[in-house]
Amino acid sequence: MSALSPAPPATDAGAARPRGRRLTPLLLAAVVGVSSTLLIGRFAGRWLVREDPMQPVQALLVSIGGWYPGAVEAARLQQAGIAPRVIVARWATGPGSADDDLRRLGIGLPTPPALVQSILEHSGVPADAIERIDHEVDGTGADVATLATYVRTRGFQRIAIVTSRSHSRRAGWLLERALPAGVTVQVHSPANDPFTPVGWWRSRDATREVLIESLRWINAGLLGDAWRD
């Protein structure tokens, strides 16, 4: 080679690498991240839900969670011979509530427990098969505690609670903790409950419910129900 011949250009290993190879790890990380999020999301929605096979019980408990569709479903179950009686607690309506404002204006509206009883009776449940607990409740925790006290007092051994689908696992967990070990608890949700455990992130209402129910689990499981009065 002549002394005047130009030297071959130096090569940069990083510059020579095709751009597609640099993007491949980022794409893989993005795919893994999205897939993991979807899997966690599917698990979270399904984990909130508990649905037990319905067997004959001594009493059906209508929870404050989703009381209107719950009353309709409880009536259907009672008429199908699942239970001879339906138990309903009384909702709390403290000073300053919308109900209080309506009463002050002279507008009489039936309370949720009265509506539940009306739904049950119009669905064919005998009036003497409906038992109302005269104790105010303001949430699932207080509702379950009141129902559990009633169940213990009556000595029931087989019960079922009808509640919102997104509340179902927490309601069953709270109820089983509040009752003696020998009591069988079944959890059931109305067939037309709008909560969808699969694909809940596509619905604003379902997404809100998953987030709020997750906070309720933290409150009930980790904080010992710090929100109760």
Side-chain angles (χ1 to χ4, degrees):
M1 180 182 295
S2 170
L4 298 178
S5 300
T11 60
D12 185 345
R17 180 182 300 172
R19 186 176 181 182
R21 292 185 181 178
R22 294 200 302 270
L23 291 177
T24 299
L26 295 177
L27 291 173
L28 288 175
V31 170
V32 170
V34 171
S35 300
S36 300
T37 301
L38 291 176
L39 286 173
I40 293 172
R42 289 172 67 90
F43 173 78
R46 289 179 174 177
W47 187 82
L48 295 178
V49 177
R50 172 176 167 180
E51 185 68 34
D52 298 324
M54 293 303 294
Q55 301 293 331
V57 294
Q58 294 169 285
L60 284 166
L61 316 177
V62 179
S63 171
I64 191 174
W67 60 267
Y68 163 61
V72 174
E73 187 69 8
R76 185 188 69 79
L77 293 172
Q78 198 276 342
Q79 292 290 284
I82 293 296
R85 61 182 64 84
V86 181
I87 315 299
V88 184
R90 183 156 59 93
W91 280 252
T93 55
S97 66
D99 291 339
D100 193 49
D101 292 337
L102 292 174
R103 281 193 297 268
R104 205 165 43 243
L105 292 170
I107 302 173
L109 289 178
T111 62
L115 284 172
V116 168
Q117 180 153 354
S118 182
I119 291 170
L120 293 171
E121 290 180 356
H122 280 78
S123 300
V125 180
D128 58 2
I130 304 169
E131 301 181 23
R132 290 173 58 174
I133 305 173
D134 190 24
H135 184 82
E136 289 190 344
V137 299
D138 60 358
T140 301
D143 188 24
V144 166
T146 298
L147 294 172
T149 300
Y150 185 84
V151 169
R152 289 196 305 269
T153 302
R154 296 294 301 272
F156 294 147
Q157 294 298 308
R158 300 183 314 281
I159 60 167
I161 184 168
V162 182
T163 187
S164 298
R165 185 169 290 133
S166 61
H167 293 39
S168 57
R169 185 173 297 277
R170 183 167 56 94
W173 178 73
L174 289 170
L175 194 53
E176 287 175 337
R177 291 184 66 197
L179 292 173
V183 178
T184 299
V185 175
Q186 298 174 23
V187 182
H188 182 69
S189 301
N192 62 348
D193 190 297
F195 180 73
T196 53
V198 178
W200 54 265
W201 53 86
R202 301 189 187 98
S203 164
R204 179 180 299 173
D205 290 340
T207 298
R208 184 186 300 115
E209 187 60 29
V210 168
L211 295 176
I212 294 176
E213 186 64 16
S214 299
L215 292 176
R216 292 177 182 135
W217 266 105
I218 293 173
N219 174 60
L222 298 180
L223 302 181
D225 196 6
W227 296 343
R228 72 173 176 266
D229 294 338

